[in-house]
Amino acid sequence: MTAAADASAPRRLLAEWLRRSTWVDHLLLAIRIGVAALVLVGLVGSLAAGTYSAANLGSFFVFGLTIGSVYALIALGYTMVYGILRMINFAHGDVMMVGSFAGLFAAVALKDAGLTAGAPLLALPLILAAGMAVGATVSLGVERVAYRPFLHVRSLAPLICAIGLSFVLQYGARGLFGTRNRAYPDLGWMEGTIVLGSVSVPIPQLVAFAAALLMLAGLVAVVRFTRLGKAMRAVAEDRDAAAMVGIDVARVIVATFAIGGAMAGAAGVLYALVFKQITVFMGFALGVKGFAAAILGGIGNLPGAMLGGLVLGVAEALGPALLLEGFGLPAPYQLKDVIGYGMLVMILIFRPQGLLGERLSAKRA
C-alpha cells in the first residue's frame, strides 16, 4: 500500500498542476524544456568535437573568474545605490571609465618616475588608489547633481539626470582624451605567466582576481561590522525609520555613492590591467554587464552581486566553447554576449528576484 501510494503521488501532483495551470505556465514549461534541450545538444556537440583540451577549458574558466570579478565590482555600485534609494545609477559605467583613465595617468607617471620597475609592489596599489579616488569623486558629483535634489521626490527625474550625466562624462572624456584606444604601460613584473597544474595563467589575471576578491571582502566587512555599515543597512531597510532614530540619511547616501564609485574605479583599473587598453566608450558596455550581474545575483544583495558577476563572467568565457561550438557556428566567441544576456533573460523570466534574492527577502521577513 505504501509503495503504491508513493508511486501515485507524482501522478496526483501532475494532475493537480494541470488543473491549476494556465497556458502561460505551459508556455514557460515549454521554454524551460527547449532551453535545456539546446544546452544539452550544444554541450554534447562541443565535447564530441574535441576542439578544446582540458587545459584550454581551464584557462577559459580562470579568465571567466577574472572578468567576472570585475563585473562584480561594477555590480556592487548598482546594488548599493538601489538598496539605499531604490533607483539605478545609469552613470555608473562611465564612472568606471573615468577611473580607468585616472589609473592610466597614474601608471604613466609612476613609470616615468621609475617606480614600476624599482618598487613594483608599491606601483599597483598607487594606481588602484588613483582610480578609486577619482571614481569616488565623480560618483559624488553624480549624487550631488542627479540624486540629492530629488531625494524626497518620487519621480523618474534622477534616472533621467543620471543618463544625461552618463553622456556628459562620456563625451567630456572624448573631448579631453580623444576616441583612440589608450594602452596601459607595461608593468614588467606582471608580464609573465604562472602554471597551475596544466593551466598557464597570465599574472595580470591572477592579480586582478586577487585584488577584486580583497576589495569585495573588505566591502562586506565594512557593511557587516562597522557603524557606517549598520547605518547603511538601516537606511536600506527603512529610510524614514532610520532618520527617526538619529541616522544621518544624507550622509549615508553620500558614503554609499563614494564607496560604489571607488569600486567602479578599481574595476576600471583591473579591467585595463587584463586587457591592456581602454577607450572612452567602454563604460556603456561594461556598465550594462555590471547591471546584468546585479540583476542576475539579486539586486540590492551584496553577496548576490558578487555571485552574479562571477557566474556571468564564467558563462561568457566557457559558453562559446562548451555550447556554441557544438552547433558549428563560425567564430563562436564573437557571440559570447548571447550567453550572458540569454542567462539574464532566463533569470528575469523564471526567477526575477535573482539567484540570492529570495534568501534576502526571507532574512528581512
Side-chain angles (χ1 to χ4, degrees), residues 19-292:
R19 185 179 67 84
R20 292 175 175 270
S21 61
T22 65
W23 68 270
V24 175
D25 298 313
H26 300 161
L27 177 61
L28 293 178
L29 178 61
I31 293 175
R32 285 189 178 97
I33 295 173
V35 170
L38 285 174
V39 170
L40 181 61
V41 170
L43 183 61
V44 171
S46 297
L47 294 177
T51 305
Y52 301 100
S53 65
N56 294 142
L57 296 177
S59 298
F60 296 156
F61 179 76
V62 173
F63 176 76
L65 289 178
T66 303
I67 192 63
S69 63
V70 174
Y71 293 160
L73 287 175
I74 302 172
L76 285 172
Y78 285 110
T79 204
M80 289 176 67
V81 171
Y82 180 83
I84 298 293
L85 296 178
R86 294 296 184 267
M87 294 180 183
I88 303 299
N89 179 13
F90 283 110
H92 193 63
D94 291 289
V95 172
M96 182 221 68
M97 176 270 295
V98 174
S100 70
F101 272 91
L104 168 66
F105 297 137
V108 171
L110 290 173
K111 184 176 182 180
D112 292 342
L115 288 179
T116 55
L121 295 181
L122 178 62
L124 181 59
L126 290 176
I127 295 170
L128 278 173
M132 294 173 72
V134 172
T137 302
V138 174
S139 187
L140 288 177
V142 172
E143 185 273 335
R144 182 64 182 86
V145 173
Y147 288 91
R148 190 180 302 181
F150 308 102
L151 186 60
H152 302 290
V153 178
R154 295 185 180 274
S155 71
L156 294 178
L159 301 181
I160 297 170
C161 286
I163 294 172
L165 283 175
S166 173
F167 285 104
V168 169
L169 292 174
Q170 183 178 126
Y171 285 93
R174 177 182 179 180
L176 290 172
F177 312 131
T179 58
R180 64 184 178 87
N181 291 349
R182 295 292 192 97
Y184 260 54
D186 292 336
L187 303 179
W189 63 280
M190 291 181 61
E191 298 310 310
T193 60
I194 294 178
V195 178
L196 302 176
S198 60
V199 178
S200 180
V201 182
I203 292 177
Q205 291 187 25
L206 291 177
V207 171
F209 182 61
L213 287 185
L214 286 175
M215 284 183 283
L216 294 172
L219 178 59
V220 171
V222 168
V223 173
R224 294 290 183 186
F225 305 115
T226 66
R227 179 175 296 180
L228 173 61
K230 292 178 181 178
M232 292 170 63
R233 284 184 281 140
V235 174
E237 188 73 28
D238 192 321
R239 190 194 309 175
D240 295 331
M244 290 176 63
V245 298
I247 294 175
D248 190 339
V249 174
R251 182 175 296 179
V252 170
I253 292 173
V254 168
T256 300
F257 272 88
I259 294 173
M263 294 296 105
V269 172
L270 296 179
Y271 177 88
L273 291 178
V274 174
F275 289 96
K276 304 300 184 185
Q277 60 183 10
I278 57 176
T279 174
V280 296
F281 298 115
M282 73 181 195
F284 174 78
L286 289 174
V288 171
K289 293 291 181 66
F291 180 62

Side-chain angles (χ1 to χ4, degrees), residues 14-21:
L14 177 60
E16 181 67 15
W17 182 82
L18 290 174
R19 185 179 67 84
R20 292 175 175 270
S21 61

